[in-house]
Structures are given as C-alpha cells and as structure tokens.
Amino acid sequence: MKGWLHRTMARLRPRKRPPEPVESELLTRFGRHCPVCGAVLGASVPRDGRTGRFEVSPTARLRVGQADGYGRYPWQVQLVEGEYPPASSTNPAFSKLEVDYIYLLCGGGHIFPDAAPLLHGGYADASDPRERIDVWNMIAAIGGPASGKTYLLLRTLNQSLDNYDNLIFDGAAPRIQLRALSPLEMTPLQVRTRLYAQTLSSGHFIPATGTDTRATPAGILLDELPDAHDAMQELVRRTVRAGDQRADNWGRGMRQPLVLRADVGPRRSWTGVADLPGEMFSSDTDNRRESVKLRAYDALVWVVDPAVAAQAAEWLGVEDEESYSSSIDLLEGSLRPGATRQSNARVVRTTRDQIQRDIGRELTKVDGLFTTERGSSLEMLIAVTKCDLIREALGTRTLHRLGADRLVLDGAKAYLLFLAARWAQGMTSADDMAGEVLAFIHGTGTARQSDREDRAAHVADGLLDHYSNGEAFWNLAHEGHADVVRVRGRNMNLAPLAIEVPAIGAHIDGSMLAGSATRMLTRDLVMSTVGCGLTYGLGLRGPVYNVLNKQWQHIRFFLCSPLATVPVAKDDKLKPMHDKDRFPRVDDRSAALTQLLLAMLGKVRA
C-alpha cells in the first residue's frame, strides 16, 4: 500500500494562487454544511492565502465497487474541489466503470449517499443515479448512562408506519415510504441490530454506547475500508492547513448517526439520529464542543429513566438496604448487568439520577448547551422509558401514588393547561376529540384561570384514574387498541367527559393527513398528559415546568418500553422477569414507539 500511496501523494502540490471557489451542484443537492457536525458538505472551502492549502478539511467523494473473491472492495477517494488526483486501491484494482455506490464525506468525515449506480444499471443507464435530499432532519437522543437509549432508538426506528387494518388499496392514501440505505450508511444501525439479536437469543445486553469502536466515521472506514481511511487521512495531511493535526482527528469527532431515509410523495428526506453515550452528559466530563452541536438540531429525544429516580425507590421496592439486596436482579436488569459490581446499587442509582437531573437543568437554561431560541421551533420529545416497571408497580398502587404528594396530578394538569393555552392562542391545532377536551378546559375567553385549572385537574384526574389500571396503561403504552376514557362528572362546571382514544393504526392514518405534523392528535394528547404527570412524579417537575414555558419548543411525552417486559439480570445476562414473557423482535409493533417515530419525523411530514 505504501508504494502507491507515496507515488500518488507526491503529485499533490498545493496551488500558490488558487482560483476563486465555485459552488458546485452539491450545494443544491446537499446544502452548505453537514447536518451532524456543521463541517463543510456542499460548500467550497476557503484557502490559506500564503500556502494555498484549504483552511479546513474539504468534502471528499468515496467510490466503492464490487467485492472480489476475498471480500475486498475496490475504492477511490477524491476531494470534490481542487485539481488533486484521486487515491485508488490497486488490489483489488479500482475501475470507474464498475462503481456500485458513491458517498460524500463531509469535512468531519460523516458519510452521506451521493449516488447508487448499482441500483440504476450503472453509468450506461439513462436514469440519474445521483441521490437527492429535499429535507434534512437531525435528531439527538440525550439521557444518562444505561437509560436505554440504544434499545429505544433501535426499536423506534424499526417501527412500521403502515396501518394494517386499513384495507383500502387505491393508492390515494398518503404514506411514508422508506428508502433503502447504502451499505456504509446502514452500518451503525446494522451493528446495533445484530447486538439486539444477541439479547433475544442469548440474553447478552447491548454494551455501553461509548465502547463502540465503529461509532465514528473513521471507525466505520477502518473496519470496512481501512486503506481508504488511510488515503483520506493522507489527502487531508497534504492539502489542509495544520494537516497533521487535522488528519489525525479526521472522522473522530461526532458519531455517525443512525439513518432513516424516507419519501413522502415526491419529497426525499434524510433523518439522522445521534445515539450519544450517557457518560458525555456527566458534569465530570467536558463535552461542550460536542454538546453544543445539538443546538442546531431539529429535535431532541430526552430519555427519562424511572429506574434511577430517587422518588421511585418506594414503588421499585428498594427503599432500604434489605430490599436493595433482595431486588438486585431486578435493579441490574434495568441499570445494566454488572453495574453494581464496583459500587452498590444505591450509589449507582444516585449518580445516574444526578446526571438525569443535570440534563433537565441544562435544558432550562437560556443559550444552554443543548438548546437555544432561534427562528425555527424545536421538537422536544420526552420519552419515559422502561415503562414495564411502571406497569408492574400498578399492581399495588395507582398512578397518583408514583410521586410524592400530588406531583403526578400536578404534572398532568400542567400539561393540559399548557396545551389548552397554545390551542387557544392558535399556536397549535387539534383533531376533533382533542379539540373538544381543550375547549372544555380553556372555556371562553373571559373564563377565570381558577376555573380552567379546576377543569384541567378534573380531566387529569380522570385520565390518571383510568390508566391506573395496569391493563389500560399497557394498552395505551404498548398494545395500542382503541379505548374510551370516561371522566366522571362532579358538578355543573366539572361535567362528565368521554375521551375516545383511537387505535394506533387510526393514529397512523391521522398522522399522514396534511397539517398533521403540527396538530395535536388525541392519542398524543392522552399519552403526553399521563407522561408529563409521571415525569413530575420522578422528581423532574422543575425542568419540565421550565420547558413548558419555552414558547419556541413543541413538547410531547411518550410512555415507552423497548423490551416490553421487566428484564432481570442472571449471570450478567438479561431475561424476562416473568417466565411466560419474551423480549420483542426488533420490529414488533409498540404504540408509544410508533408515536415517537411519527413525532421524530414531524419535519419530514410537514
């Protein structure tokens, strides 16, 4: 390898007087900057006036052909601007007439689809093999260590958005159709899918995100095309100012996201989901440069872990040392097997609860690390995960009793008042059933605030009463059948209500209608109300209250259970607590995860 590399790179001589940069057609197809890290993607890079080198790492194009009999891929990497010769593999030999996939590598190394000649009959075909992205949609999942982010994201991104009960096959109904990913694009999701399969087959848990050696673009290329990675580093070293340092760091910054590409009508969208390690949110680590990138994202998924909340100790049955000892298998199943080997369970829970609360406080700050007020709105999606634990707790207590004093009721009431105010101000719309509920709460324009609060508490109390039944709660969170919540009347001001909650299939259909991305649907209203109450009960009233007061954020809550049953740890492996249960397949339907995916694709559906 070194012989051809040195011969190729010897011809790379920076220009003393480079021409003015010319924006390419990539700018039209991909925009100026990488949606993940903000590095150059479609834009030209300025040059250093003295040396002629690029000021920062430019975009590169990576071409990959068909593997030979030994599983080795021919490849070529080339900077998209400047007259620098490409670097190509020699064994196997690269041929520009036998290219299967073409990728763009942003200045930070992130991998994007440029073209797929393989799927278009090669270059001889009259069809255009180039990819086009009309909508960029970038999302980050934030949460503490072992909060279940990877399980949550993997299961969510594998949810079907088809209503199997809709048997009208006239092709008129709008649908979200998934587009096939190119091989390098799918690597992060593929790795996690294989790890999930090991959880199902042998109980091996998915390791901590921070231990994934293939999480970054450099890691992916080192694993799949190591010589291409080395050649790209050498290109950076020879053509960019401070090239040695930039080459060493190339592709090692922010992780390659999990990718979902979808078509809605003629529009093609690219959704990237950053699965960030929980350890990066600890106050003991300095990840400001990586964290601040999240401020430009379209949505944040805050994963709230009930297993670590101090307020959950009683209903988890771990409020004293004796119960900690007897519940260690249950705790390790939710905290990560082996987590209590170095520290006892109370220390682990307390540390992770503090990280969870630190995240909440950071979300409330003006110009904080994760959010900032800007021209476009931010989708704040709060996923209360491990709701299998809550279902289990409902065998001995009500939802009201999953928090101190009236916290759960107060949280549910606060969300209804927040949403009713936005609805009355025209900041959000609602479907018919949700509109009836919000109109009842808000009343007339001259209604007293105390009356509105009474009506919100009335509806919140009725919802919490109904979903204190474990089967009703599980139907809302997981099974997704239609339901009717009957709120009993108390007096003339607090009249009875019948809230018809549609099945998840009908919710999907409603989510495909024009304008639905900004419309509050009944199933989302009900789940968000209960979810906000539970988040208050988990000790996060302060940050959630502050988030509700941010006018530029759209907030929804989701009651998620990626594993669909309480896991316990035995010999460092996961198994269902109840012998009759099983962990779900990666694409098994879950109501809350389907609703979460639709919310994550809100920009795509708009």
Side-chain angles (χ1 to χ4, degrees):
M1 170 191 164
K2 289 186 177 179
W4 67 259
L5 188 58
H6 288 154
R7 287 193 300 273
T8 300
M9 296 307 168
R11 300 198 301 271
L12 296 179
R13 292 291 183 265
R15 299 176 177 274
K16 293 300 182 182
R17 293 184 179 178
E20 292 297 318
V22 178
E23 304 291 8
S24 70
E25 52 86 27
L26 292 179
L27 189 64
T28 302
R29 291 197 288 135
F30 292 96
R32 298 187 66 83
H33 300 293
C34 172
V36 183
C37 67
V40 167
L41 183 57
S44 293
V45 177
R47 308 274 193 125
D48 178 65
R50 185 177 62 83
T51 65
R53 289 180 172 234
F54 294 112
E55 291 282 2
V56 294
S57 299
T59 303
R61 186 173 269 118
L62 168 65
R63 296 176 173 89
V64 182
Q66 182 179 4
D68 65 8
Y70 299 97
R72 300 173 303 179
Y73 290 90
W75 54 266
Q76 180 188 78
V77 290
Q78 183 176 22
L79 303 183
V80 300
E81 56 181 307
E83 296 180 4
Y84 300 105
S88 306
S89 64
T90 56
N91 188 20
F94 172 80
S95 168
K96 66 180 182 180
L97 299 179
E98 297 177 326
V99 175
D100 287 354
Y101 291 96
I102 307 175
Y103 302 92
L104 277 187
L105 309 178
C106 82
H110 292 104
I111 302 165
F112 298 95
D114 184 23
L118 175 68
L119 305 181
H120 293 261
Y123 286 109
D125 195 318
S127 65
D128 188 349
R130 294 178 302 173
E131 297 288 357
R132 184 189 81 244
I133 306 297
D134 300 312
V135 181
W136 294 98
N137 181 35
M138 193 63 210
I139 300 165
I142 59 177
S147 55
K149 293 186 299 299
T150 299
Y151 282 107
L152 176 86
L153 294 177
L154 181 62
R155 291 267 289 120
T156 298
L157 292 175
N158 277 282
Q159 291 296 297
S160 168
L161 295 180
D162 287 324
N163 176 13
Y164 301 129
D165 295 325
N166 186 343
L167 302 180
I168 302 174
F169 300 107
D170 59 4
R175 295 178 61 217
I176 294 177
Q177 301 187 78
L178 299 184
R179 183 170 284 272
L181 299 179
S182 51
L184 291 182
E185 271 188 297
M186 71 172 64
T187 297
L189 202 57
Q190 205 171 48
V191 168
R192 288 161 174 78
T193 301
R194 285 197 290 265
L195 291 172
Y196 186 82
Q198 293 178 17
T199 298
L200 300 188
S201 63
S202 58
H204 288 96
F205 60 94
I206 296 179
T209 304
T211 64
D212 184 3
T213 59
R214 291 197 287 181
T216 62
I220 293 172
L221 290 180
L222 280 169
D223 191 72
E224 301 287 341
L225 299 165
D227 288 350
H229 167 270
D230 294 347
M232 187 62 218
Q233 276 193 316
E234 192 63 22
L235 280 169
V236 171
R237 183 171 287 111
R238 297 292 188 102
T239 65
V240 182
R241 193 165 64 86
D244 287 342
Q245 178 184 347
R246 291 188 181 275
D248 290 342
N249 294 331
W250 185 87
R252 287 172 169 76
M254 295 194 70
R255 291 158 179 76
Q256 179 73 16
L258 311 179
V259 174
L260 193 71
R261 285 202 275 147
D263 292 3
V264 181
R267 294 201 313 164
R268 297 183 183 182
S269 68
W270 180 98
T271 295
V273 184
D275 181 12
L276 303 174
E279 289 75 12
M280 76 171 276
F281 302 108
S282 170
S283 58
D284 296 334
T285 59
D286 185 4
N287 293 287
R288 289 179 177 82
R289 182 165 291 275
E290 189 168 2
S291 297
V292 79
K293 302 291 186 185
L294 310 187
R295 289 157 45 114
Y297 286 10
D298 300 289
L300 295 181
V301 179
W302 180 17
V303 181
V304 173
D305 185 359
V308 303
Q311 285 77 358
E314 181 184 353
W315 54 265
L316 281 173
V318 292
E319 66 270 25
D320 54 45
E321 291 294 342
E322 184 177 345
S323 59
Y324 259 101
S325 177
S326 63
S327 302
I328 196 65
D329 289 345
L330 183 148
L331 281 172
E332 288 227 332
S334 293
L335 298 177
R336 188 183 289 146
T340 62
R341 196 164 294 140
Q342 302 298 324
S343 302
N344 67 50
R346 176 174 279 108
V347 172
V348 172
R349 288 184 65 247
T350 301
T351 301
R352 293 182 183 174
D353 184 39
Q354 186 59 51
I355 294 174
Q356 183 159 276
R357 295 167 72 85
D358 288 344
I359 292 172
R361 277 192 291 272
E362 190 62 41
L363 289 171
T364 70
K365 294 177 181 177
V366 177
D367 263 350
L369 288 178
F370 308 142
T371 63
T372 184
E373 189 168 357
R374 52 187 179 157
S376 58
S377 60
L378 171 74
E379 292 289 334
M380 176 63 69
L381 311 175
I382 302 177
V384 182
T385 193
K386 304 177 186 177
C387 279
D388 38 84
L389 292 172
I390 293 172
R391 179 196 186 191
E392 200 71 23
L394 292 177
T396 58
R397 62 193 66 233
T398 65
L399 286 172
H400 298 77
R401 293 180 56 208
L402 296 185
D405 301 323
R406 291 167 47 93
L407 275 179
V408 177
L409 178 61
D410 287 348
K413 180 178 78 171
Y415 189 80
L416 288 171
L417 287 166
F418 150 80
L419 200 58
R422 286 206 165 188
W423 173 81
Q425 294 164 11
M427 296 176 65
T428 188
S429 59
D431 66 18
D432 291 343
M433 187 75 257
E436 286 184 30
V437 174
L438 297 177
F440 169 77
I441 292 170
H442 190 76
T444 66
T446 59
R448 294 182 301 180
Q449 178 63 18
S450 59
D451 289 339
R452 289 172 180 159
E453 291 180 13
D454 287 345
R455 289 192 289 269
H458 174 59
V459 175
D461 198 37
L463 288 171
L464 295 176
D465 279 344
H466 182 84
Y467 291 111
S468 288
N469 177 289
E471 294 310 306
F473 177 84
W474 197 240
N475 179 45
L476 174 68
H478 185 69
E479 293 174 348
H481 304 304
D483 196 5
V484 179
V485 179
R486 301 192 184 279
V487 181
R488 295 189 299 272
R490 296 181 182 175
N491 52 47
M492 291 183 63
N493 187 45
L494 304 178
L497 286 175
I499 303 174
E500 298 177 5
V501 183
I504 189 60
H507 178 83
I508 292 172
D509 287 346
S511 299
M512 300 299 164
L513 300 177
S516 64
T518 57
R519 183 182 300 129
M520 178 55 68
L521 304 184
T522 303
R523 179 167 264 279
D524 283 335
L525 180 147
V526 169
M527 187 174 289
S528 290
T529 300
V530 177
C532 188
L534 285 170
T535 309
Y536 262 49
L538 294 172
L540 298 171
R541 174 174 58 180
V544 171
Y545 175 83
N546 276 279
V547 168
L548 292 176
N549 271 288
K550 293 183 181 293
Q551 294 291 302
W552 49 278
Q553 292 186 5
H554 296 158
I555 303 100
R556 274 175 282 182
F557 294 78
F558 303 87
L559 304 171
C560 304
S561 175
L563 292 180
T565 186
V566 176
V568 294
K570 292 286 188 182
D571 301 321
D572 280 353
K573 294 182 180 180
L574 294 176
K575 58 170 289 192
M577 184 170 71
H578 302 295
D579 291 337
K580 62 180 178 61
D581 291 342
R582 67 168 182 85
F583 296 136
R585 294 183 296 267
V586 71
D587 58 352
D588 280 356
R589 171 63 56 80
S590 164
L593 299 181
T594 300
Q595 289 175 237
L596 176 58
L597 179 57
L598 286 165
M600 290 166 65
L601 297 178
K603 185 179 179 182
V604 174
R605 297 186 288 121

